[in-house]
Amino acid sequence: MKILEDRILAEGRALNEDILKVDSFINHQVDVELMKAIGKDFADHFKDKNITKVVTIESSGIAPALMTAEALGVPMVIMKKQPSKVLNDDLLQTVVTSFTKGTSYELTLSQKFLDENDHVLFIDDFLANGEAATGAIRLIRMVHATVAGIGILIEKSFMPGKEKLTSAGFDVYSLARIKKLDKGKIEFVEE
Ligand code: G4P
């Protein structure tokens, strides 16, 4: 998606070979018009997939997921990062390990908001190792819902997440695909 790539080049900062900062329009300040365009792009791409709900993980996935849900005319569900002590009968949990941040968290979903009749589009801001998406898919499967596709704003194509998900049979659609990062340098995959 050209407007996202242009914005990444204009305002994104490659801190090193691994991390791209996009705080000014995705992760801290949010560009609402950009998120609307992103939502429309995802909705256009997945429009024939009979999606019943858009699912994301708090916090940075919420803005693009909301706009996508609005464009598709379906509800959005937020998977939460909550400690296990809040576990109750309604809640399903799975542990997700973030290699980028060196942390683990309990990803949580209430069974009230997703069931076997749902066909889900999962949206997230970054795809790196694929751990967050894999955790979300585990929860989606626990309620016997199905995955229609995965929409990602920024795919770090030099990391294994994309390959892991596509080889497991998932339809992964990424708006910007990064081939290489280096301090001060950002290179996209040529389409
Ligand atoms: P994975 O899910 O693909 O395995 O990714 P990983 O664990 O490596 O990343 C976990 C967290 O780090 C996610 O945020 C993800 O958005 C973020 N992240 C990964 N790579 C980058 C990067 O290059 N730049 C930035 N800015 N973030 C990155 P999170 O912990 O879920 O936080 P948030 O959604 O609350 O922002």
Side-chain angles (χ1 to χ4, degrees):
M1 185 194 202
K2 184 154 186 339
I3 56 168
L4 179 59
E5 287 186 355
D6 288 348
R7 194 63 177 273
I8 291 168
L9 289 177
E11 288 182 36
R13 276 193 308 129
L15 297 188
N16 49 43
E17 289 173 9
D18 296 317
I19 299 292
L20 174 68
K21 285 278 264 185
V22 286
D23 275 13
S24 64
F25 57 106
I26 295 176
N27 290 137
H28 199 154
Q29 177 169 252
V30 177
D31 182 326
V32 176
E33 289 306 316
L34 177 65
M35 291 301 150
K36 275 192 200 165
I38 284 171
K40 190 177 175 316
D41 192 310
F42 281 140
D44 283 348
H45 183 83
F46 290 106
K47 67 178 183 303
D48 298 325
K49 297 273 180 158
N50 299 318
I51 288 153
T52 61
K53 282 185 186 164
V54 174
V55 170
T56 192
I57 298 177
E58 63 177 347
S59 57
S60 300
I62 295 174
L66 180 69
M67 294 307 181
T68 307
E70 202 268 339
L72 286 168
V74 299
M76 177 190 62
V77 175
I78 304 165
M79 289 180 175
K80 303 205 172 197
K81 297 167 183 164
Q82 281 174 346
S84 47
K85 64 180 181 215
V86 299
L87 192 68
N88 65 36
D89 285 352
D90 268 344
L91 294 181
L92 297 171
Q93 291 193 306
T94 188
V95 174
V96 171
T97 300
S98 163
F99 294 106
T100 302
K101 296 193 173 172
T103 54
S104 289
Y105 58 86
E106 298 267 3
L107 190 63
T108 304
L109 169 70
S110 168
Q111 299 186 62
K112 278 188 277 197
F113 305 123
L114 221 55
D115 65 29
E116 70 274 12
N117 299 311
D118 284 311
H119 197 43
V120 169
L121 173 60
F122 176 72
I123 299 284
D124 212 355
D125 58 341
F126 275 94
L127 175 60
N129 291 289
E131 291 300 314
T134 305
I137 292 163
R138 278 197 299 277
L139 289 179
I140 290 165
R141 287 184 163 167
M142 280 185 211
V143 296
H144 306 291
T146 48
V147 179
I150 298 170
I152 299 292
L153 273 61
I154 304 176
E155 169 193 310
K156 296 199 287 188
S157 307
F158 56 91
M159 296 188 74
K162 166 69 169 287
E163 173 56 29
K164 237 161 58 181
L165 294 169
T166 49
S167 61
F170 294 105
D171 176 4
V172 181
Y173 175 58
S174 308
L175 301 182
R177 302 177 63 212
I178 295 188
K179 181 162 102 184
K180 195 167 186 286
L181 292 173
D182 213 337
K183 201 169 166 43
K185 273 196 202 148
I186 302 165
E187 244 180 78
F188 292 107
V189 174
E190 280 155 38
E191 301 294 340

